[in-house]
Amino acid sequence: MSLLKVEGLGKSFGGVKAVDGISFTLAKGELLALIGPNGAGKSTTFNMVNGQLKADRGSIQLEGHELIGRKPRDIWRLGVGRTFQIAETFESLTVVENVQMALLSNDHRLYNLWRRAAAHRRDEAIALLGQVGMAEQADRPCSELAYGDVKRVELAIAMANNPRLLLMDEPTAGMAPNERNALMALTKKLVTERGMAVLFTEHSMDVVFAYADRMIVLARGRLIAEGKPLEIRDHPKVQEVYFGTGKTFEKHGGQPAAAAPTEAAHG
Ligand code: ADP
Ligand code: MG
């Protein structure tokens, strides 16, 4: 049985069908990439799954629980996690304190108890940081970290809730290619070790082809292709959408260039 089953999901903003009746499934232990040009409806899809946006139609089932209509907090409790950017207010905290905060909120404790509970769950937080290779930097302020390391801490924070499904919307945005690969390799490791499922968006096709088990492709709110990376790479509709955009499939400007469409597939 699928962990996540999305059927006929739709959402419009005014006259714009941001997501127009898409269906897909996600299995336990699967790393599924959601790709598509800017404005394709990727973030809208994510935000319906995590409850930030209410779908107009369709259904989103997590192991048989309908998620549409539930509050984000309830969806989070059911085991749907997502990576958050570390807020500026928490940059003054150290790496390990940020993860301890996440563990505390998972205990449904209040933020203002935090200072009194400073030692609380430190070992557990360090263990989580160990999983993302950040244990040695545990006591540094987050504000001092390199960008790629902040992203790893964000991943540790998302892990604090022990999610069964993790949503990552553009997790590698702003990262250098080697940092992107490191973060996705780490994500893949966590998926394997924890049997977690991940739904992620990513602009770099090199990264998607290297790490995704399966891909779904959106264009103008519709799901135009689904399959394993190699199947998607040669899919005519995908070629059409990304025609002439080069290696990354990024930012389709609506003006097809004269370049050979197959260029997008080479890595
Ligand atoms: P993607 O993440 O694939 O770039 P989005 O899901 O952000 O795409 O957007 C899909 C479409 O919905 C776009 O046309 C966008 O302008 C529109 N859209 C997204 N969010 C809103 C919103 N809150 N209000 C109005 N239109 C929106
Ligand atoms: Mg987006």
Side-chain angles (χ1 to χ4, degrees):
M1 191 181 136
S2 307
L3 178 72
L4 185 76
K5 189 171 186 198
V6 172
E7 279 185 315
L9 186 66
K11 175 82 185 172
S12 296
F13 296 106
V16 179
K17 287 180 175 173
V19 175
D20 190 8
I22 67 168
S23 303
F24 63 91
T25 61
L26 180 52
K28 205 173 164 229
E30 192 175 36
L31 201 55
L32 179 65
L34 174 57
I35 70 161
N38 288 333
K42 303 181 297 294
S43 295
T44 304
T45 301
F46 271 79
N47 291 332
M48 287 191 278
V49 177
N50 69 37
Q52 299 286 115
L53 276 176
K54 183 150 192 292
D56 297 337
R57 61 192 171 100
S59 101
I60 304 173
Q61 297 209 335
L62 184 80
E63 288 184 327
H65 299 279
E66 179 58 56
L67 300 187
I68 295 177
R70 289 181 198 259
K71 293 194 169 66
R73 181 100 194 158
D74 294 335
I75 293 172
W76 181 79
R77 283 200 191 108
L78 283 172
V80 179
R82 60 184 175 125
T83 46
F84 284 96
Q85 292 200 338
I86 290 175
E88 279 173 30
T89 44
F90 294 164
E91 279 186 3
S92 61
L93 300 181
T94 65
V95 169
V96 70
E97 284 168 349
N98 265 290
V99 179
Q100 284 172 274
M101 279 285 303
L103 288 165
L104 287 173
S105 74
N106 190 22
D107 276 351
H108 314 301
R109 284 164 206 251
L110 296 171
Y111 171 68
N112 58 18
L113 285 178
W114 156 247
R115 296 284 171 188
R116 277 192 274 153
H120 191 75
R121 305 186 72 171
R122 183 180 157 94
D123 294 347
E124 207 178 333
I126 296 280
L128 276 168
L129 287 169
Q131 289 196 21
V132 300
M134 286 296 293
E136 280 166 19
Q137 301 195 62
D139 295 311
R140 293 181 63 191
C142 270
S143 57
E144 283 181 5
L145 298 182
Y147 189 70
D149 289 344
V150 171
K151 294 285 158 188
R152 291 199 280 164
V153 176
E154 288 173 2
L155 195 53
I157 289 170
M159 289 299 136
N161 185 40
N162 202 13
R164 286 184 290 163
L165 168 62
L166 180 64
L167 306 173
M168 303 171 83
D169 195 1
E170 305 200 23
T172 70
M175 295 178 111
N178 63 334
E179 286 180 326
R180 290 180 175 194
N181 279 301
L183 187 76
M184 290 316 297
L186 175 61
T187 304
K188 183 108 185 170
K189 188 187 82 156
L190 293 173
V191 164
T192 309
E193 286 174 4
R194 293 173 168 243
M196 184 176 70
V198 171
L199 180 64
F200 75 109
T201 60
E202 170 62 55
H203 281 307
S204 162
M205 284 304 110
D206 291 349
V207 169
V208 173
F209 287 135
Y211 298 102
D213 296 311
R214 202 157 52 85
M215 304 166 63
I216 52 182
V217 187
L218 289 188
R220 297 183 187 191
R222 290 182 171 258
L223 201 153
I224 61 164
E226 173 173 7
K228 295 198 184 302
L230 286 176
E231 294 162 0
I232 292 295
R233 197 172 73 172
D234 301 323
H235 196 290
K237 276 193 194 164
V238 179
Q239 297 276 335
E240 197 183 308
V241 165
Y242 286 109
F243 186 73
T245 55
K247 276 187 188 172
T248 65
F249 279 39
E250 207 164 356
K251 292 195 179 79
H252 176 54
Q255 297 290 324
T262 47
E263 257 187 30
H266 292 247

